[in-house]
Amino acid sequence: MCFDKIKELIVEIISCSEDEVTMETNMKEDLGIDSLDAMELAMSVQDNLGVEIPEDKLAEMVYVKDVVNFVDEHLEK
């Protein structure tokens, strides 16, 4: 599972506490992530983990676990 890396990217992008980021965290409501932050997260995921998150999929992701599950499913093995 790539949760730790995604958590690290989220903390870096929005400058929040690590304690605020869990699998159940609502990215918009709990962390205040807007569409620009989400795009930055998607680019960071691609740069760091090699997984591209399409914009339409990104728009559907509400919780941190949505990003983690998508990346886990698409990681190159």
Side-chain angles (χ1 to χ4, degrees), residues 49-63:
L49 299 169
V51 175
E52 183 177 351
I53 303 174
E55 276 189 61
D56 60 328
K57 292 289 183 195
L58 186 61
E60 297 170 5
M61 295 179 180
V62 176
Y63 299 96

Side-chain angles (χ1 to χ4, degrees), residues 43-77:
M43 289 186 294
S44 290
V45 165
Q46 185 170 356
D47 291 346
N48 289 276
L49 299 169
V51 175
E52 183 177 351
I53 303 174
E55 276 189 61
D56 60 328
K57 292 289 183 195
L58 186 61
E60 297 170 5
M61 295 179 180
V62 176
Y63 299 96
V64 172
K65 67 181 174 186
D66 297 333
V67 179
V68 172
N69 291 338
F70 182 88
V71 172
D72 279 343
E73 289 173 16
H74 294 86
L75 264 177
E76 296 174 355
K77 303 219 184 283

